[in-house]
Amino acid sequence: MKSLHAFLWLTIVTLATAHAGTIVSVTGPTTHLDTGLPGDNVSIGSGTQLVGVEWTATQSYQSATIEALLLCVTCQFGSSPHTIDAYLSSAVGPATTAGQVIATSSVLQQFDASQTCTSNAGTFSSCAWITLFSDLNLAPGQYFLVLSGPAAFENEGWVGTNAPTTNTALGVTTDNLAYIANALNGSPNYAFPSGSTFKTFSGYNSQFQVNDSVPEPSTFLLLAGGILALTMTRIKRRQSHLG
């Protein structure tokens, strides 16, 4: 009986924390997409370039937050930060429709003196993890995150790495590819970035994090079932002693 109680409590604790924390994250030392060498970041703009990442989940999540590591060289020297546009969709490419865009946002780059990143122009304490989306309800499926910035966006943008540390929740995968659309690669659609034709690059990853803090409804049901089973076991045990 004690072993059954222990198993039920372990099940309850596991279910209660199953979706709290990281859904998918890709982090690592900064590198540049073009050279593949450590010490550089890839710029989002620099010729109006669009950059994206992908992940797939087999379960639903509630209250999800999406962040990206962005560099703002000009911020360190007192200039105004750039506005970054973010697009979350269930597909990318020319056949993508507006109905497949799940959420959009516009954010400003920020200055974080405690975070050091490097660019083509040198080393700067001017990158920061920026929250792009929060409180998202994500159903099972494939997701694409695409960022775009202004045309004059040299040496700044979405910080990347060619030595990623990838963490995923159970049932979540990422293809670990960089999705790029610019004048030389793919076919960018600046009016509808998710509808661009992207060229994918392996061995390079833009750094991002998708986190969740609330278990999905089915998890709560399983949790309640575990508690009920434990309670009934205790009641039957007490009744057998009284009988």
Side-chain angles (χ1 to χ4, degrees):
M1 188 65 66
K2 289 183 178 180
S3 61
L4 177 59
H5 285 176
F7 173 76
L8 288 173
W9 277 117
L10 178 61
T11 301
I12 291 170
V13 171
T14 301
L15 290 173
T17 59
H19 295 303
T22 300
I23 298 175
V24 57
S25 70
V26 176
T27 59
T30 58
T31 54
H32 190 265
L33 175 63
D34 297 328
T35 64
L37 299 176
D40 287 324
N41 80 294
V42 62
S43 56
I44 297 173
S46 185
T48 50
Q49 178 167 263
L50 306 175
V51 182
V53 295
E54 178 274 350
W55 75 92
T56 300
T58 58
Q59 302 181 59
S60 61
Y61 294 90
Q62 295 181 331
S63 192
T65 299
I66 301 177
E67 299 177 310
L69 185 60
L70 301 181
L71 182 70
C72 181
V73 176
T74 56
C75 296
Q76 185 172 351
F77 303 104
S79 300
S80 299
H82 297 291
T83 297
I84 305 299
D85 296 319
Y87 304 83
L88 180 66
S89 62
S90 59
V92 291
T96 302
T97 66
Q100 292 174 296
V101 177
I102 299 165
T104 62
S105 70
S106 295
V107 299
L108 286 176
Q109 295 168 298
Q110 299 177 17
F111 175 81
D112 184 356
S114 65
Q115 184 83 48
T116 301
C117 289
T118 56
S119 78
N120 298 342
T123 300
F124 302 91
S125 298
S126 53
C127 58
W129 283 99
I130 307 298
T131 299
L132 306 173
F133 302 101
S134 59
D135 296 324
L136 288 175
N137 292 326
L138 301 179
Q142 188 175 29
Y143 292 91
F144 296 88
L145 174 64
V146 175
L147 301 189
S148 67
F153 203 20
E154 193 69 41
N155 294 324
E156 305 196 28
W158 197 348
V159 180
T161 180
N162 65 356
T165 296
T166 302
N167 293 303
T168 59
L170 183 65
V172 178
T173 60
T174 176
D175 60 16
N176 281 324
L177 297 175
Y179 288 70
I180 306 297
N182 57 30
L184 300 176
N185 299 289
S187 179
N189 183 338
Y190 302 120
F192 184 48
S194 298
S196 301
T197 298
F198 289 90
K199 181 176 180 180
T200 56
F201 292 82
S202 61
Y204 174 86
N205 305 78
S206 297
Q207 300 193 49
F208 72 104
Q209 299 181 127
V210 184
N211 299 305
D212 185 44
S213 59
V214 179
E216 62 181 272
S218 60
T219 298
F220 284 118
L221 292 177
L222 290 171
L223 176 60
I227 294 174
L228 178 62
L230 181 59
T231 301
M232 293 301 296
T233 300
R234 286 183 171 177
I235 291 175
K236 289 180 180 179
R237 184 180 181 185
R238 181 173 300 176
Q239 287 176 343
S240 64
H241 283 303
L242 292 177

